Amino acid sequence: KAGVTQTPRYLIKTRGQQVTLSCSPISGHRSVSWYQQTPGQGLQFLFEYFSETQRNKGNFPGRFSGRQFSNSRSEMNVSTLELGDSALYLCASIEGAAANEQFFGPGTRLTVL
Amino acid sequence: GENVEQHPSTLSVQEGDSAVIKCTYSDSASNYFPWYKQELGKGPQLIIDIRSNVGEKKDQRIAVTLNKTAKHFSLHITETQPEDSAVYFCAASITGYALNFGKGTSLLVTP
């Protein structure tokens, strides 16, 4: 099976812009989680989707949003970018509604100038 | 919310020695504890996990122990090899799909 795919792998934006990141989970997996990884804060949970519904959300401002499509692919959007949003954004694929094992993609490296 | 603390932040061992990384968690409702290995330029990879109804789990050179009473869990790597060098993260979860990570341990195994 192909692994988790994230596009783009690298992205450079300027403050105030918005960005959309994409994640394709492992075939057959219906749940997707998103995480932000920074040197200072480490890995932090953003949100999780199952069957196009957001089931849980981390402690991030409303500028961070996401969605999931009927084919399980997911996107996350960050509006009004700030310098502090520079991070590696990781997507994880989860097989079922309650399965615990999360398979991570390689991430999207976002740099905000 | 759940708070996971991980120690040490860096660990250097010689090839063949054992390495131990320890984590504590704050929420007694957490019931799933995975460990991830992250190599440079890659996403985290699950190496072993343990659930709250189990005290210890082993997979070849890797083992994890869980003490629910004390709310801590540990990763043990025996017979370390240079390819074990990476950053290791522990995590705790109540829901299973929202992981709360520790800050990571950078492990260096020198030949």
Side-chain angles (χ1 to χ4, degrees):
Chain A
K1 279 186 179 179
V4 179
T5 304
Q6 291 190 246
T7 57
R9 291 293 312 277
Y10 302 92
L11 206 50
I12 299 175
K13 292 286 187 179
T14 56
R15 279 180 299 174
Q17 287 186 312
Q18 73 167 21
V19 67
T20 299
L21 312 181
S22 180
C23 170
S24 293
I26 294 170
S27 177
H29 287 196
R30 297 169 62 191
S31 178
V32 171
S33 287
W34 287 89
Y35 295 83
Q36 181 196 64
Q37 185 174 25
T38 60
Q41 298 300 316
L43 279 152
Q44 294 185 285
F45 172 74
L46 279 157
F47 27 64
E48 183 259 352
Y49 288 87
F50 175 76
S51 291
E52 302 178 65
T53 300
Q54 185 182 91
R55 294 194 297 187
N56 205 2
K57 191 177 190 302
N59 190 25
F60 277 82
R63 300 186 296 108
F64 293 80
S65 63
R67 59 177 175 168
Q68 186 181 34
F69 302 95
S70 58
N71 61 357
S72 295
R73 190 177 70 85
S74 178
E75 289 181 347
M76 67 162 284
N77 184 276
V78 188
S79 62
T80 320
L81 284 167
E82 301 177 358
L83 295 179
D85 296 334
S86 294
L88 180 68
Y89 289 89
L90 293 157
C91 162
S93 173
I94 310 167
E95 185 173 2
N100 298 132
E101 186 170 357
Q102 301 196 21
F103 299 88
F104 282 85
T108 294
R109 172 73 63 185
L110 172 65
T111 301
V112 182
L113 301 177
Chain B
E2 173 66 278
N3 181 46
V4 178
E5 295 198 357
Q6 182 172 346
H7 301 280
S9 57
T10 61
L11 180 59
S12 182
V13 300
Q14 286 203 315
E15 182 176 2
D17 287 348
S18 294
V20 180
I21 303 171
K22 298 182 179 182
C23 290
T24 59
Y25 61 99
S26 61
D27 195 330
S28 57
S30 290
N31 55 24
Y32 176 62
F33 308 91
W35 285 88
Y36 284 86
K37 174 184 181 183
Q38 187 174 26
E39 297 174 319
L40 204 60
K42 297 183 179 181
Q45 176 189 8
L46 180 71
I47 55 172
I48 195 167
D49 58 7
I50 192 167
R51 287 169 172 79
S52 59
N53 58 347
V54 176
E56 185 173 357
K57 184 176 178 180
K58 190 174 182 181
D59 183 4
Q60 299 183 338
R61 299 186 296 109
I62 295 173
V64 58
T65 58
L66 171 65
N67 183 325
K68 284 188 62 181
T69 303
K71 289 191 280 189
H72 67 70
F73 56 114
S74 301
L75 177 71
H76 304 252
I77 306 174
T78 59
E79 300 171 19
T80 54
Q81 302 166 2
E83 50 265 38
D84 293 330
S85 296
V87 180
Y88 290 80
F89 293 93
C90 64
S93 178
I94 300 170
T95 63
Y97 46 78
L99 301 178
N100 298 285
F101 284 91
K103 289 293 177 70
T105 295
S106 180
L107 174 64
L108 178 64
V109 181
T110 54

